Amino acid sequence: VPVSELTEAAAKAELGPLRQQLTQWGKEYYEQDQPSVEDYVYDRAYQRLVQIENRFPQLVTPDSPTQRVGGQAAGQLAKVNHEIPMLSMGDVFSLEELADFNTRQQASLADHVEYNLELKIDGLSLSLVYENGKLVQGSTRGNGQIGEDVTANVMTIKDIPKQLPEPLSLEFRGECYMPKEAFLALNQQREAEGLPIFANPRNAAAGSLRQLDPKITKQRQLATFMYYVPNFQALGITTQAEALKRMRELGFQVNENSLVAKDESAINDYIAEYTAKRDDLPYGIDGIVEKVNDLATQVELGNTVKVPRWEIAYKFPPEEAATVVREIEWTV
Ligand code: NMN
């Protein structure tokens, strides 16, 4: 039934099982690193939840998946409190939706908006904290407020600087991922050893970073792309593009395929370019991220309870074969 035709009673009846299903899929994905469905199946169910809640805002509950980030910090790893919450990201699934999002966003702003476009690396978010230039803590996002302490594990990741060239006391955030080649080799090895294989590079990265034994993480060839400085004021920078440049100078890995776009046609060209190049990259991407480039404007736009209003992900359409084979019916 299209959402526009739902009665409130029918919406209410659908919301319970829909939220339960998404919560279950979320647990499998965020906490167990073992998703049972493809992302687009999850995304489609999530979009329906968003649409129903938009139509019947009185039915929104505080425990709805639309109101919270990720999963619980699980397992025996120590917990870390995120002083600045690690949020989720809104997403759109077509160029039209993206243009609508931009139009609405720009209507609330006085000045012309420039965007920084970045690839959406298919890994998991990572926070790195430095004190006087020394790496002192690594943590996962968890539920956004409380993440998992993976300090011993990040110490084994080769491309993460353990010492910065400047005595900064600052947090940096980015994505931890497993390169495609490392993922294929890992699964081959696991198969040969009779172990269960990982569903995709994202889950392999998450499973490898969230280990109790850093020796296991060390064998897994994890890599990072850093993309965010929560306390950017400390660096005296004013744009996201500068943040990327500074992080690169500090020795972090920063993805080289970002672009400052001034208008819709530049945005659409970028999306077309990476939709075509996606399979040739040595790491997985599941979309592109568009960020308001001016950092003061980001602060002005702020966040919802779950996502920043200054960034949005455009997600690539699922591969056609997968769509046909995996039609999953989750509605009641
Ligand atoms: O956790 P955030 O930052 O909101 O990211 C959501 C992403 O995680 C989306 O790309 C979504 O497709 C994916 N996801 C997938 C599953 C699944 O079961 N395949 C579950 C939860 C999230």
Side-chain angles (χ1 to χ4, degrees):
V1 183
V3 171
S4 58
E5 290 170 23
L6 281 181
T7 62
E8 182 167 344
K12 207 168 176 180
E14 183 174 338
L15 281 175
L18 181 51
R19 287 186 183 133
Q20 212 177 350
Q21 179 62 269
L22 283 162
T23 302
Q24 174 60 25
W25 285 339
K27 263 196 183 28
E28 292 165 354
Y29 180 90
Y30 296 115
E31 295 171 26
Q32 296 155 10
D33 304 321
Q34 258 172 6
S36 61
V37 294
E38 305 276 351
D39 285 358
Y40 80 89
V41 175
Y42 178 90
D43 291 341
R44 204 171 51 179
Y46 188 92
Q47 284 307 108
R48 182 155 175 105
L49 176 60
V50 169
Q51 286 162 9
I52 296 175
E53 289 185 349
N54 282 345
R55 174 132 187 259
F56 301 104
Q58 66 277 22
L59 298 181
V60 176
T61 54
D63 68 340
S64 174
T66 58
Q67 307 299 305
R68 52 189 163 79
V69 172
Q72 293 307 312
Q76 297 113 307
L77 289 162
K79 310 276 186 285
V80 167
N81 190 46
H82 296 302
E83 260 164 58
I84 303 177
M86 291 181 82
L87 298 179
S88 175
M89 207 189 308
D91 42 22
V92 294
F93 298 85
S94 69
L95 298 183
E96 293 71 36
E97 274 182 272
L98 180 60
D100 283 350
F101 175 87
N102 291 346
T103 304
R104 271 181 279 122
Q105 184 186 62
Q106 284 159 19
S108 73
L109 298 169
D111 297 330
H112 176 75
V113 183
E114 250 180 34
Y115 292 103
N116 196 70
L117 304 175
E118 299 169 25
L119 303 184
K120 186 171 186 297
I121 312 296
D122 202 8
L124 71 157
S125 325
L126 177 66
S127 155
L128 299 174
V129 177
Y130 291 77
E131 270 170 28
N132 290 315
K134 192 168 171 275
L135 176 60
V136 293
Q137 184 183 77
S139 62
T140 66
R141 185 180 64 175
N143 67 5
Q145 290 290 345
I146 300 171
E148 296 148 321
D149 188 332
V150 290
T151 307
N153 300 344
V154 300
M155 292 296 176
T156 72
I157 300 178
K158 287 201 200 101
D159 73 13
I160 294 178
K162 315 300 178 296
Q163 176 72 51
L164 302 177
E166 296 169 38
L168 293 167
S169 296
L170 205 56
E171 177 186 6
F172 298 88
R173 291 181 185 170
E175 198 84 356
C176 176
Y177 70 97
M178 186 177 284
K180 286 176 184 169
E181 208 173 310
F183 167 72
L184 291 174
L186 175 63
N187 265 353
Q188 260 175 20
Q189 184 196 337
R190 289 177 71 85
E191 221 166 359
E193 289 170 7
L195 296 168
I197 60 168
F198 287 105
N200 54 52
R202 189 267 170 205
N203 300 103
S208 303
L209 184 64
R210 302 169 68 231
Q211 288 283 338
L212 275 181
D213 180 358
K215 284 198 224 80
I216 299 180
T217 308
K218 187 174 181 167
Q219 294 162 0
R220 296 288 173 85
Q221 299 184 56
L222 293 174
T224 58
F225 282 125
M226 302 306 284
Y227 54 62
Y228 186 51
V229 187
N231 283 314
F232 60 83
Q233 296 86 348
L235 292 179
I237 53 176
T238 60
T239 65
Q240 168 65 9
E242 276 177 90
L244 297 180
K245 182 164 170 272
R246 282 289 275 135
M247 280 187 281
R248 208 172 274 129
E249 287 164 3
L250 289 169
F252 292 105
Q253 292 302 310
V254 174
N255 192 272
E256 60 188 2
N257 301 308
S258 60
L259 178 80
V260 176
K262 296 189 196 306
D263 56 34
E264 190 177 327
S265 86
I267 295 170
N268 291 350
D269 286 352
Y270 184 85
I271 291 176
E273 179 180 350
Y274 286 99
T275 303
K277 282 187 184 162
R278 170 181 190 197
D279 287 342
D280 301 326
L281 295 169
Y283 43 83
I285 61 172
D286 60 341
I288 70 109
V289 182
E290 177 202 85
K291 301 177 180 176
V292 168
N293 195 30
D294 184 63
L295 298 172
T297 308
Q298 290 187 2
V299 174
E300 184 186 335
L301 285 165
N303 311 315
T304 72
V305 290
K306 180 161 178 172
V307 299
R309 291 199 189 85
W310 47 264
E311 70 176 349
I312 189 92
Y314 163 88
K315 305 242 347 225
F316 295 132
E319 321 258 344
E320 261 177 54
T323 325
V324 178
V325 182
R326 301 287 299 269
E327 278 302 321
I328 293 186
E329 209 39 76
W330 45 265
T331 50
V332 287

